[in-house]
Amino acid sequence: MIAYIEPYFLDNESDASSVLTVTGRSSDGVSESLNIQGEIICGASAADIAGKDFGGMNCVKPLAVVRPVGPEDIAAAVRAALSSDKLTVAARGNGHSINGQATAEGGLVVDMRSTAENHFEVGFLTGDGTAFVDVSGGALWETVLKRCVSEYGLAPRSWTDYLGLTVGGTLSNAGVSGQAFRYGPQTENVTELDVVTGNGDVVTCSEVENSELFFSVLGGLGQFGIITRARVLLQPAPDMVRWIRIVYAEFDEFTRDAEWLVSQKDDSSFDYVEGFVFVNGDDPVNGWPTVPLHPDHDFDPTRLPKSSGSVLYCLELALHYRDSDSNSSVDKRVERLIGRLRFDEELRFEVDLPYLDFLLRVKRSEELAKVNGTWETPHPWLNLFVSKRDIGEFDQKVFKELVKNGVGGPMLVYPLLRSRWDDRTSVVLPEGEIFYIVALLRFVPPGAKASSVDKLVAQNQEIVQWCVKNGIDFKLYLPHYKSREEWIRHFGNRWSRFVDRKAMFDPMAILSPGQKVFNRAL
Ligand code: FAD
């Protein structure tokens, strides 16, 4: 099927300058028809599909949503934009950004989910024989997991907590979870990509082939190319996981144990290390009840030291094992590691569960949030990387003061190792070997007033401003800035490299306009 952008007239006549017509000629100078095999959706339906994201705080009107069948359609969309005066193109993965990063006001949104099934092939790297899977940039990680495990007994090594995200969407940022201390973020676990650049070229790239493009695109905020295929490294999938939570009253004891665990040599630590802050009280959303892993578990606050403050800390750990491993051998491996840690035995919670259930654990929270309405309400989230040097000061100000009553959702904090991140990618990090990811995952009750969401956004800004003023060594993760100055500060001494890469791979600034890093060149 050959589809064309149909005559489409925006509600607001003053926007009519960006109208594409059947012939592809438009008053904004588009000279080529968008001649693709996939589908093109215009008007209110396009806004319904791609006008909003998970953050729910921005609403834009795209000109059209393009549902490509493959890279040639995507390249055609980019070329149509190149030949126009002002069209832009945003790849949209699963639209789970917070601040409109996957949107394109008046532009073309490429719905990558229509390409989800384009690739699925397992192979082995020449050399060390490591298994990999070729998957579509538009595939959901959840689907990749299920197919790899059920068809091959294999699984990717590095994850995000939630798997309803696309491969291309997380690779454009980093993709971080409790495995990243060992394997690095997801961007460290791909060896080859197919990319449609902002020049409209379809290019295969890797560490050795078109390497500048490969490293630009990884963590590149969608600025350099649209990932249509990724080669993802695999490992044998375990059958089971022992999932453990232990509680700390003191931040320095929590960080000392967490840092010790992530600094152990490969295979001599847990397979997953994360942590979170929670309120020292019985609030069902922010407090003690959020810690136990099973309805039979009971959080006994009388076990807490008298000196406990307004917030407490929880280390979350997981150990992989096989069905054939005896209980006692699993217990032994756990005790060898956990025996070194300082926490109260009575505030230890653990369950054994199948590997898939563990990796899909956030899906259960999604289902609950959908029932109670908080999945659809705005999500003014804040994600940062904070250096080990400054995480104590950050705890004092932010956790113990600004958000001491909770954020209506998880407040994650756990250490990562910089040496696991290749500095040739476009991601920027704080200095020092150990830094912390901090995630304030705010959920807002249905019916909350817009002004209360504004207050949460303002609190996020206050935190960022406090970090800047106090010289905290930090970077926003999933960054969102509005001014050029802020982006320059974000990238620091990597800004000129980012600009050079843009000039090479998307000189007209067609791609991912919703990130607001560059303006479309005329
Ligand atoms: P989108 O929001 O659709 O797109 C994100 C950006 O990438 C946009 O700029 C878009 O243009 C670009 N893009 C999308 N697809 C492509 C492509 N194929 N090629 C090039 N550019 C592309 N992150 C973590 O690291 N760890 C977590 O544990 C984690 N948990 C999360 C849990 C939830 C519930 C949510 C909502 C988000 C979470 N995130 C996490 C953040 C998430 O990784 C990012 O927001 C990610 O970008 C979302 O993926 P997506 O497919 O929805 O991308």
Side-chain angles (χ1 to χ4, degrees), residues 433-454:
E433 169 61 355
I434 296 181
F435 63 95
Y436 282 76
I437 181 163
V438 173
L440 303 181
L441 307 180
R442 302 173 186 274
F443 282 80
V444 176
K449 288 199 186 112
S451 60
S452 67
V453 177
D454 292 345

Side-chain angles (χ1 to χ4, degrees), residues 250-277:
E250 300 300 331
F251 190 64
D252 56 352
E253 292 184 0
F254 163 82
T255 53
R256 195 204 37 230
D257 281 357
E259 289 175 18
W260 180 78
L261 285 169
V262 301
S263 305
Q264 297 307 295
K265 287 214 171 66
D266 286 357
D267 294 339
S268 54
S269 189
F270 286 98
D271 294 291
Y272 164 103
V273 177
E274 284 204 8
F276 60 92
V277 187

Side-chain angles (χ1 to χ4, degrees), residues 277-279 283 285-287 310-311 399 402-409 411 440 442 456 459:
V277 187
F278 63 101
V279 172
D283 180 305
V285 179
N286 298 294
S310 54
V311 293
F399 294 140
L402 296 178
V403 297
K404 65 171 191 254
N405 296 321
V407 297
M411 300 192 283
L440 303 181
R442 302 173 186 274
L456 301 177
Q459 191 180 55

Side-chain angles (χ1 to χ4, degrees), residues 357-489:
D357 291 1
F358 174 71
L359 285 183
L360 294 168
R361 64 200 179 280
V362 180
K363 202 173 171 69
R364 286 194 299 281
S365 311
E366 174 185 354
E367 284 157 8
L368 283 176
K370 280 183 172 159
V371 170
N372 71 27
T374 57
W375 196 254
E376 309 305 332
T377 52
H379 301 100
W381 288 7
L382 180 66
N383 288 270
L384 312 104
F385 294 140
V386 179
S387 73
K388 166 183 155 80
R389 185 195 76 187
D390 295 333
I391 195 69
E393 205 178 334
F394 187 94
D395 167 61
Q396 289 292 337
K397 177 68 186 179
V398 180
F399 294 140
K400 289 196 170 77
E401 191 182 320
L402 296 178
V403 297
K404 65 171 191 254
N405 296 321
V407 297
M411 300 192 283
L412 307 183
V413 55
Y414 58 91
L416 297 164
L417 303 180
R418 192 189 164 104
S419 52
R420 299 283 189 226
W421 298 58
D422 193 322
D423 64 8
R424 292 172 293 178
T425 71
S426 293
V427 183
V428 284
L429 300 173
E431 294 301 321
E433 169 61 355
I434 296 181
F435 63 95
Y436 282 76
I437 181 163
V438 173
L440 303 181
L441 307 180
R442 302 173 186 274
F443 282 80
V444 176
K449 288 199 186 112
S451 60
S452 67
V453 177
D454 292 345
K455 273 190 195 145
L456 301 177
V457 172
Q459 191 180 55
N460 288 344
Q461 279 161 359
E462 184 187 353
I463 293 169
V464 173
Q465 283 315 315
W466 175 83
C467 287
V468 172
K469 266 205 197 115
N470 289 275
I472 300 295
D473 182 14
F474 82 104
K475 297 289 177 195
L476 283 191
Y477 176 52
L478 314 169
H480 163 60
Y481 290 116
K482 288 185 181 144
S483 74
R484 172 62 62 103
E485 290 67 36
E486 288 169 308
W487 279 114
I488 293 173
R489 191 186 63 220

Side-chain angles (χ1 to χ4, degrees), residues 54 90-98 101-102 112 137-138 160-162 165-166 168-170 172-177 221-222 225-228 375 381 477-478 512 515:
F54 183 77
R92 180 180 171 97
N94 210 24
H96 275 46
S97 291
I98 299 301
Q101 286 95 333
M112 295 302 293
T160 46
D161 294 342
Y162 170 68
L165 310 167
T166 63
T170 68
S172 297
N173 287 293
V176 181
S177 184
L221 309 177
I226 298 179
I227 300 166
T228 57
W375 196 254
W381 288 7
Y477 176 52
L478 314 169
S512 277
Q515 297 277 5

Side-chain angles (χ1 to χ4, degrees), residues 46-190:
D48 285 349
I49 297 166
K52 275 195 161 196
D53 61 16
F54 183 77
M57 293 174 292
N58 299 283
C59 191
V60 307
K61 279 187 184 169
L63 175 60
V65 169
V66 175
R67 293 218 159 113
V69 300
E72 288 310 328
D73 280 358
I74 299 171
V78 171
R79 284 196 292 268
L82 278 170
S83 64
S84 81
D85 292 341
K86 60 182 183 193
L87 267 188
T88 53
V89 177
R92 180 180 171 97
N94 210 24
H96 275 46
S97 291
I98 299 301
N99 291 292
Q101 286 95 333
T103 59
E105 176 77 60
L108 304 177
V109 175
V110 178
D111 179 359
M112 295 302 293
R113 301 279 291 110
S114 68
T115 66
E117 307 286 317
N118 284 13
H119 302 275
F120 189 85
E121 200 173 338
V122 167
F124 299 90
L125 295 179
T126 44
D128 66 2
T130 304
F132 65 76
V133 64
D134 280 340
V135 290
S136 166
L140 288 185
W141 282 107
E142 177 179 341
T143 315
V144 173
L145 169 70
K146 286 179 178 163
R147 283 196 70 179
C148 286
V149 173
S150 66
E151 295 175 29
Y152 297 93
L154 296 167
R157 315 185 305 181
S158 185
W159 291 101
T160 46
D161 294 342
Y162 170 68
L163 307 189
L165 310 167
T166 63
V167 169
T170 68
L171 291 179
S172 297
N173 287 293
V176 181
S177 184
Q179 304 84 7
F181 75 94
R182 178 173 298 168
Y183 297 111
Q186 291 181 317
T187 42
E188 295 298 314
N189 290 276
V190 289

Side-chain angles (χ1 to χ4, degrees), residues 204-215:
T204 298
C205 57
S206 68
E207 189 172 3
V208 291
E209 184 186 4
N210 299 308
S211 60
E212 189 63 26
L213 178 62
F214 180 70
F215 290 115

